[in-house]
């Protein structure tokens, strides 16, 4: 995401931070137990908490509709890193990315969740990535691009689209889990922005939590 965009555009009364807190929490997905530290504060903003959409995507991986074993995976807007860390624990070769100010939290959570016998594939990488600005420094040969609750600020949507387009040039599949916040234009991203370049479909719809999981693939020229 563009680091020039201030997190203060999200007023507290919008309820975006209602469930956030500063503590270490334990999450269990099948046989995997993750200890995730959430350093909520003004310096991290939306990168601090574990959002419900991230937990939903983790459950989707744990239940095996999304097989990440042996895949090259990049996570966008990783925040606490819970999604990418779980993918790495399940055998993926993972790169977790977010804005520079979130990198320390990501690195700490990756280190805290190293399996006792070591990572099944390779140690996850943690790198800064500002959408639309430096995505060209990243390769295009990913198998999967993951994102959880990264679609919430309309000013970033074209930047995200450009970044996804670059990362998926060699055929990567995109899996995005989103709280469908109408007030922030999240449905519009999936209905009008992403389809400009991607074929996308809803894989799972949690009506109670208002969370959808989407699958998308880059549309080839002339398709």
């Amino acid at each position: 995401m563009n680091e020039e965009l201030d997190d203060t555009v999200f007023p507290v009364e919008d309820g975006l931070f209602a469930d956030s807190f500063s503590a270490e929490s334990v999450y269990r997905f099948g046989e995997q137990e993750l200890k995730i530290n959430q350093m909520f504060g003004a310096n991290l903003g939306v990168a601090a908490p574990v959002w419900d959409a991230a937990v939903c995507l983790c459950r989707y991986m744990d239940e095996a509709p999304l097989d990440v074993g042996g895949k090259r995976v990049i996570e966008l807007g990783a925040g606490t890193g819970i999604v990418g860390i779980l993918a790495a624990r399940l055998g993926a070769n993972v790169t977790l990315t977010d804005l520079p100010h979130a990198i320390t939290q990501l690195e700490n959570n990756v280190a805290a969740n190293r399996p006792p016998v070591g990572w099944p594939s390779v140690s996850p990488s943690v790198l800064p990535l500002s959408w639309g600005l430096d995505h060209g420094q990243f390769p295009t040969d990913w198998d999967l691009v993951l994102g959880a609750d990264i679609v919430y600020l309309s000013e970033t949507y074209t930047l995200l689209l450009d970044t996804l387009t670059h990362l998926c040039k060699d055929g990567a599949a995109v899996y995005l889990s989103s709280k469908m916040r109408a007030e922030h234009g999240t449905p519009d991203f999936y209905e009008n922005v992403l389809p400009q370049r991607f074929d996308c479909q809803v894989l799972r719809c949690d009506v109670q939590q208002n969370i959808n999981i989407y699958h998308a693939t880059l549309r080839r020229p002339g398709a």
Side-chain angles (χ1 to χ4, degrees):
M1 295 166 52
N2 192 333
E3 59 188 314
E4 296 178 358
L5 295 171
D6 192 342
D7 289 330
T8 58
V9 297
F10 294 101
V12 173
E13 59 267 26
D14 274 356
L16 283 170
F17 299 104
D19 297 324
S20 62
F21 55 93
S22 178
E24 182 181 86
S25 300
V26 176
Y27 295 85
R28 293 180 177 86
F29 305 100
E31 298 180 354
Q32 303 296 330
E33 180 178 286
L34 306 184
K35 296 179 180 179
I36 302 296
N37 188 43
Q38 301 168 88
M39 300 183 295
F40 176 72
N43 61 323
L44 282 178
V46 296
V50 172
W51 297 100
D52 290 340
V55 175
C56 285
L57 188 53
C58 285
R59 288 175 179 156
Y60 192 74
M61 282 192 288
D62 173 53
E63 294 166 5
L66 175 55
D67 181 9
V68 299
K71 304 290 179 60
R72 296 192 71 245
V73 175
I74 184 169
E75 183 185 1
L76 302 180
T80 63
I82 186 171
V83 171
I85 290 170
L86 178 61
R89 294 276 295 246
L90 293 174
N93 180 346
V94 178
T95 298
L96 301 98
T97 70
D98 209 319
L99 292 174
H101 68 267
I103 295 302
T104 298
Q105 174 174 255
L106 277 172
E107 291 175 335
N108 290 341
N109 279 329
V110 167
N113 286 281
R114 181 184 183 275
V117 296
W119 298 98
S121 179
V122 297
S123 299
S125 299
V126 177
L127 295 172
L129 170 56
S130 299
W131 303 343
L133 297 180
D134 54 13
H135 58 247
Q137 300 175 19
F138 287 76
T140 61
D141 59 344
W142 308 97
D143 296 307
L144 302 172
V145 179
L146 307 180
D149 235 349
I150 61 174
V151 180
Y152 57 81
L153 187 59
S154 59
E155 292 92 326
T156 68
Y157 290 173
T158 57
L159 304 175
L160 175 56
L161 183 64
D162 287 344
T163 298
L164 289 172
T165 300
H166 171 78
L167 297 174
C168 294
K169 284 181 179 178
D170 291 341
V174 180
Y175 288 84
L176 299 176
S177 178
S178 287
K179 188 88 166 180
M180 302 305 290
R181 299 184 181 91
E183 68 274 22
H184 293 295
T186 304
D188 182 66
F189 175 82
Y190 290 105
E191 293 169 6
N192 298 306
V193 179
L194 191 59
Q196 292 174 18
R197 302 179 192 171
F198 286 78
D199 294 318
C200 56
Q201 61 178 326
V202 179
L203 295 177
R204 180 167 294 182
C205 180
D206 186 326
V207 176
Q208 184 175 1
Q209 294 192 88
N210 193 29
I211 293 172
N212 290 352
I213 296 178
Y214 290 85
H215 170 268
T217 53
L218 184 64
R219 192 178 302 115
R220 296 303 175 187

